[in-house]
């Protein structure tokens, strides 16, 4: 697979003015990206998933994976009590072991942000809110922006927006680009800071790896802080090959633009074994710079418990059982 990318002219006010000036120029840039070798991508992802991890490295990987979790609940039946309990677990995943690290963030709907923020306080665990008519992304732009602003005003540290897949698949790239730019602007706070923006592609609906690569570059050029695979509501969600394509994209983007962008696979990652496969892939494809919660996250609800079970097994020599930890 080629890792080269079209040259980006950074001389103007925006690094990408030359490729975003019109629908035609944006299309020309995105369709000029190297095509993804499907067989090669899937074979490489499979090979990376076979790496052997030794005991010391595994212990480090388990703690790192815990620190990278965006502990998530996005159900219509979510209650204040449920999200408070989830926030408490995010800060102390294993109440019996104070050495267990806390997770990166708690991800909820916007109306639950204030409740989660109250529980988390100054713990350092972030609050992430889904926005822009999650999970479909089908709403008027003023509704999407109001959704974002409300979540930021309630205290969200991070916004997980969804792109309009219908627009993207129809080739209306400039529309998608402009929406990401507008949502990023809506992430601004009164103090001049800004909530981090994660852009969700719903890769299960994008149909090809070429589209995943194009969506990755489109979002990064529009100012995404993170690119994210899925909402968790559509199957297939995160897969190793899809995430490989996205990790290659952020690596190439830094080479071209000098800027790092994070990656968040979400949906379907349930076991510590699977999480470690992703960490190996990130390390070998993008490098260790991405092996921090600032640049790589897991969007998950059930993954944390398996990570905790495996961690307990390594520290005590025995499995604690799935009912030892709270169900999320």
């Amino acid at each position: 697979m080629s890792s080269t990318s079209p040259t980006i002219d950074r001389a103007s006010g925006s690094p990408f003015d030359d490729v975003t000036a019109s629908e035609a120029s944006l299309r020309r840039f995105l369709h000029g990206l190297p095509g993804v070798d499907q067989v090669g991508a899937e074979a490489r992802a499979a090979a990376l998933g076979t790496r052997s991890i030794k005991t010391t490295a595994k212990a480090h990987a388990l703690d790192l994976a815990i620190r990278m979790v965006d502990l998530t609940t996005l159900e219509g039946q979510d209650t204040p009590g449920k999200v408070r309990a989830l926030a408490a677990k995010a800060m102390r995943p294993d109440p019996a072991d104070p050495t267990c690290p806390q997770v990166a963030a708690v991800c909820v709907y916007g109306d639950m942000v204030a409740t989660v923020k109250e529980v988390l306080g100054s713990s350092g665990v972030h609050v992430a809110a889904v926005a822009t008519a999650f999970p479909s992304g089908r709403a008027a732009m003023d509704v999407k922006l109001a959704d974002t602003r409300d979540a930021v005003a309630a205290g969200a540290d991070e916004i997980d927006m969804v792109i309009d897949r219908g627009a993207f698949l129809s080739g209306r790239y400039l529309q998608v680009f402009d929406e990401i730019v507008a949502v990023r602007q809506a992430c601004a706070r009164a103090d001049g800071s800004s909530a981090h923006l994660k852009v969700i592609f719903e890769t299960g609906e994008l149909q090809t790896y070429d589209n995943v690569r194009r969506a990755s570059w489109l979002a990064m050029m529009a100012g995404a802080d993170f690119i994210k695979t899925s909402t968790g509501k559509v199957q297939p969600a995160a897969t190793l090959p899809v995430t490989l394509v996205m990790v290659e994209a952020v690596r190439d983007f830094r080479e071209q633009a000098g800027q790092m962008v994070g990656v968040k696979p979400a949906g379907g990652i349930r076991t510590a074994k699977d999480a470690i496969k992703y960490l190996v892939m990130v390390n070998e494809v993008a490098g260790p710079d991405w092996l921090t919660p600032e640049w790589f996250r897991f969007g998950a609800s059930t993954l944390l418990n398996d990570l905790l079970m495996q961690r307990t097994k390594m520290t005590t020599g025995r499995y604690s059982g799935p009912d030892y930890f709270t169900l999320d």
Side-chain angles (χ1 to χ4, degrees), residues 4 19 33 36 38 47 63 69 74 88 91 102 119 167 181 193 203 231 241 248 258 275-276 282 288 293 318:
T4 60
V19 296
L33 292 168
V36 180
Q38 178 178 345
D63 277 6
V69 168
L74 297 168
M91 294 185 291
Q102 60 188 21
V119 176
V181 171
S193 64
T203 52
T231 64
E248 288 178 336
I276 290 173
V282 170
R318 61 185 184 277

Side-chain angles (χ1 to χ4, degrees), residues 171-185:
R172 302 197 304 275
Y173 300 133
L174 189 58
Q175 176 183 331
V176 178
F177 180 94
D178 286 344
E179 287 195 0
I180 296 171
V181 171
V183 173
R184 180 174 176 81
Q185 292 170 346

Side-chain angles (χ1 to χ4, degrees), residues 48-280:
L48 290 169
T50 64
R51 297 287 193 268
S52 176
I53 306 298
K54 304 303 181 184
T55 302
T56 302
K58 183 177 180 181
H60 173 72
L62 290 173
D63 277 6
L64 179 58
I66 290 171
R67 292 171 50 225
M68 290 174 164
V69 168
D70 281 2
L71 193 56
T72 302
T73 183
L74 297 168
E75 303 296 336
Q77 61 185 350
D78 288 343
T79 64
K82 180 181 179 181
V83 299
R84 285 193 186 98
L86 198 70
K89 182 173 181 177
M91 294 185 291
R92 288 291 301 273
D94 184 353
D97 183 357
T99 69
C100 182
Q102 60 188 21
V103 305
V106 176
C107 186
V108 292
Y109 278 110
D111 64 320
M112 292 292 179
V113 167
T115 301
V116 174
K117 194 78 173 177
E118 181 182 2
V119 176
L120 294 178
S122 60
S123 66
V125 178
H126 292 173
V127 183
V130 295
T132 66
F134 179 96
S136 69
R138 308 306 293 263
M141 196 59 200
D142 58 344
V143 173
K144 294 181 180 182
L145 295 179
D147 195 17
T148 303
R149 292 188 187 106
D150 286 349
V152 173
D157 303 296
E158 302 167 2
I159 295 294
D160 289 29
M161 71 166 286
V162 287
I163 66 167
D164 183 334
R165 280 85 75 190
F168 179 87
L169 292 170
S170 299
R172 302 197 304 275
Y173 300 133
L174 189 58
Q175 176 183 331
V176 178
F177 180 94
D178 286 344
E179 287 195 0
I180 296 171
V181 171
V183 173
R184 180 174 176 81
Q185 292 170 346
C187 288
R189 303 188 185 97
D191 64 2
S193 64
S194 182
H196 279 205
L197 178 62
K198 305 193 199 88
V199 179
I200 309 171
F201 303 148
E202 200 68 282
T203 52
E205 295 181 347
L206 293 190
Q207 303 169 358
T208 68
Y209 294 132
D210 284 345
N211 277 340
V212 173
R213 176 167 284 175
R214 290 169 188 147
S216 298
W217 276 84
L218 182 65
M220 292 187 293
M221 290 189 298
D225 295 301
F226 261 77
I227 53 176
K228 177 178 171 181
T229 62
S230 320
T231 64
K233 305 297 185 182
V234 171
Q235 296 299 322
T239 67
L240 278 172
V242 157
T243 308
L244 171 65
V245 172
M246 294 168 62
V247 170
E248 288 178 336
V250 298
R251 175 200 65 194
D252 296 345
F253 185 79
R254 181 168 73 165
E255 291 176 0
Q256 290 287 320
Q259 301 169 3
M260 282 184 70
V261 175
V263 178
K264 179 180 173 180
I269 305 172
R270 296 184 175 89
T271 68
K273 182 177 181 181
D274 286 341
I276 290 173
K277 289 179 181 179
Y278 281 88
L279 297 182
V280 169

